[in-house]
Amino acid sequence: MRWSAGWEGGPTSWRPRAGRLVPGLGEAWSAGWPGSQVRTAGNGAVALAVIGACGASGNQLESALPLVRDRRWRALTEWPGSYLVVARSGPVLAVIGDLSGQHPVFYRRETAGTRWATSATALARLDGAPVDPVALAAHLALGQPDVLADRSLFRTVRRVPTGHLLEISPDGARTVRYESAAYEPADLREAAPIVRTVLAEAVEVRLDARPVSSDLAGLDSTTLACLAARRGPVTAVTFADQRLKDDDFAYATRTAAAVPGLSHHAAPGSPGTVYYAAVGDICGLPLTDAPNAYTVTATIKRAVLETVLHHQGPGVHFTGSAGDGLLSAPPVYIADLLRRRQHRRTWQHAQGHARLRNTSVRAVLAQHRPAARITLADEWRNTAAVLQDAPRPWVPQAQRPVAWTPLLATGDWMTADARHQLAAALTEAADRLTDAPTSIAAWTEGQDLARVGADVNGWRELALSEYGIELAAPYLDNEVRRACLTVPAEVRGAPGRFKALLSEAFTGTGVVPGFVLDRRTKGGFSGVSYAGLVEHAPVLRRLLGPSSRLGAMGLITEEPVDGMLTRAAAGLPLAKGALHLAVAAEVWLRQLEQPVAWWEEARHVAAA
């Protein structure tokens, strides 16, 4: 894994294994990062480092030193790309991750000082800190990273919440918010050229002498492929499995014919390119810092990466991950419209979503009213009360009322003791909540993007460790995210126009073909998902059976899992997302049992 770490305090005994000191910043190291992606300016009392894909030039880094001196931390996060910032201003050190979890920051306080890292697992390995079962329960049952604030998946290791930075001074360590919870709203037409510019810059910052490839499927990845093709040849790949039954391949073929520089190739499906095909060989999956969704779809991702490798060799590969979350919006914004008493607009949007779902307007409104009438803290208290009762009968999540933090089916698969512990933690989180969000759409989008970012890190590890391919996810970049989210959710998610923001940004520019921007369909993976559930049900039953690590913690029980797998075999609806989460967490817990040397002694090499 690529990771970074640092120490603020007295002499330290440990440094990252094979880590390299970051010049000018004292006890700070990068591990696994190429030298070209670790850049610094200044030294001593005023110093700055950026680690990752950062579009700032050397002169821009030097020019930013006055910002560091004045501790204007947010300004250091506004360059194109996705990167970690480490900055020193006199006695204060700031460690600033990105907004979407591509560069998370964790820390632990020790007697002599504070140690930080972009890997929670690495910090836990210093003294064998165990997994925190309550934090893992929240991950499974709630799926929103910031619900338990600074609580990581390991005991004694703290996490820096989304939109916050870690500030370390002689007085200790604290987290400080540097990003607003919501943005000042911008008009669609005003925001569109900004989105076009920052997205082009996000692609440009990843382009160097290496070969370039890209997914070519939906509107999001197609836009990235077209932007990259303006600079040079792009190997474009579409996963083409006949079980998908979508029109991604047809659109991709037409796009490649219309855009110079795109060389299109199919990654054909096979009996092995289904969900869960890789979980039977846990040792064959790369270790990730947290449970990772791509554990379940690893063979599909490998098929794409193998196609890239066959046609061009290792390079940079673009993915449209997170595009859905930025360029459209979930209909939860209807609850915000209700709260703001914009009745006419609420009715219009509810009508559009009712038509899409083949239901009534009143049903849509009834689903959103509870969230419109409650605060985030009070909803957490209500959810805690639900967890104190018996598990709920399963119904599809889409049929439940909209919520700030939906309780997933996984929460109903836990033992009573685990549910009670999670309820207590949720009540405590509600009592501690400050600066509470007022928009359910902004809160939901922020949590969704953080979750996607953490998952993409796992996909990135698979691509880099197995194929030497660097994964690029520009939609997760700070500036792309900011530009898109200034457009209100009710504009991005309006049912009458599919991804209006991207269409407005690129229509008439000649970058993306018009027929792509006019597209109204979207691919899905239901075919290979159900096929994998049916084919690999015996493996999943063993994985989540009597020897399950989740089971030992009380975080899963066998009966509901068996019931879901039985439903899959019958072709019935089931809690696929919940099962997905459980399998990924189980694989991760088993991977943690593998011996990995993260640290070495600072004076002579010895594995920790």
Side-chain angles (χ1 to χ4, degrees), residues 394-397 399 530 533 563-577:
W394 180 75
V395 297
Q397 197 71 37
Q399 296 179 15
Y530 270 99
L533 281 168
M564 288 296 159
L565 294 174
T566 300
R567 292 180 68 88
L572 298 173
L574 71 151
K576 287 193 290 185

Side-chain angles (χ1 to χ4, degrees), residues 448-460:
D448 288 349
L449 288 168
R451 186 173 60 246
V452 171
D455 285 336
V456 168
N457 276 347
W459 182 5
R460 178 176 289 108

Side-chain angles (χ1 to χ4, degrees), residues 392-414:
R392 308 162 301 173
W394 180 75
V395 297
Q397 197 71 37
Q399 296 179 15
R400 294 189 182 278
V402 165
W404 289 83
T405 302
L407 180 61
L408 307 177
T410 338
D412 296 305
W413 300 352
M414 299 174 182

Side-chain angles (χ1 to χ4, degrees), residues 101-352:
Q102 298 284 273
H103 302 272
V105 179
F106 305 91
Y107 66 102
R108 54 183 297 165
R109 300 183 182 93
E110 300 179 14
T111 303
T114 301
R115 194 178 299 273
W116 63 267
T118 55
S119 166
T121 308
L123 291 179
R125 287 294 170 89
L126 279 165
D127 64 356
V131 169
D132 181 344
V134 177
L136 187 55
H139 170 85
L140 290 168
L142 306 172
Q144 294 182 342
D146 290 323
V147 171
L148 298 189
D150 65 348
R151 196 164 175 171
S152 85
L153 293 179
F154 296 92
R155 291 175 178 166
T156 77
V157 177
R158 316 312 296 176
R159 67 180 287 270
V160 177
T162 304
H164 291 67
L165 59 85
L166 176 65
E167 196 173 81
I168 307 173
S169 70
D171 296 329
R174 63 176 186 147
T175 60
V176 180
R177 176 175 283 281
Y178 72 90
E179 190 76 3
S180 299
Y183 299 108
E184 286 294 318
D187 179 79
L188 180 69
R189 291 185 177 179
E190 294 175 354
I194 300 173
V195 169
R196 182 172 64 249
T197 298
V198 297
L199 198 55
E201 291 175 341
V203 170
E204 183 79 15
V205 78
R206 271 91 174 183
L207 301 179
D208 48 31
R210 293 173 294 178
V212 178
S213 60
S214 178
D215 292 339
L216 191 63
L219 181 54
D220 312 334
S221 61
T222 299
T223 300
L224 300 179
C226 292
L227 284 168
R230 295 192 303 169
R231 270 279 307 269
V234 175
T235 298
V237 180
T238 307
F239 179 60
D241 189 303
Q242 61 182 1
R243 291 166 293 194
L244 296 182
K245 301 186 185 305
D246 60 28
D247 53 3
D248 277 357
F249 189 76
Y251 269 94
T253 302
R254 190 177 171 191
T255 301
V259 178
L262 288 184
S263 173
H264 184 221
H265 305 277
S270 71
T273 52
V274 293
Y275 280 39
Y276 304 105
V279 300
D281 178 21
I282 290 173
C283 293
L285 290 166
L287 176 65
T288 56
D289 199 50
N292 186 264
Y294 292 104
T295 293
V296 173
T297 58
T299 57
I300 296 171
K301 298 307 176 188
R302 283 170 174 155
V304 171
L305 296 169
E306 285 165 5
T307 302
V308 170
L309 207 61
H310 176 73
H311 289 283
Q312 72 165 34
V316 179
H317 183 80
F318 286 94
T319 169
S321 292
D324 283 342
L326 287 178
L327 302 169
S328 56
V332 295
Y333 69 79
I334 292 175
D336 288 329
L337 295 177
L338 282 167
R339 181 182 290 105
R340 299 198 297 261
R341 299 187 177 184
Q342 297 182 6
H343 300 302
R344 182 176 179 180
R345 201 171 187 192
T346 301
W347 185 265
Q348 291 171 340
H349 282 263
Q351 278 184 315

Side-chain angles (χ1 to χ4, degrees), residues 540-546 548 550 556 558 561 579 582-583 586:
L540 299 182
R541 284 190 169 96
R542 287 195 300 272
L543 190 71
L544 300 175
S548 165
L550 288 174
I556 202 166
E558 290 183 61
V561 171
L579 196 59
V583 170
E586 180 67 30

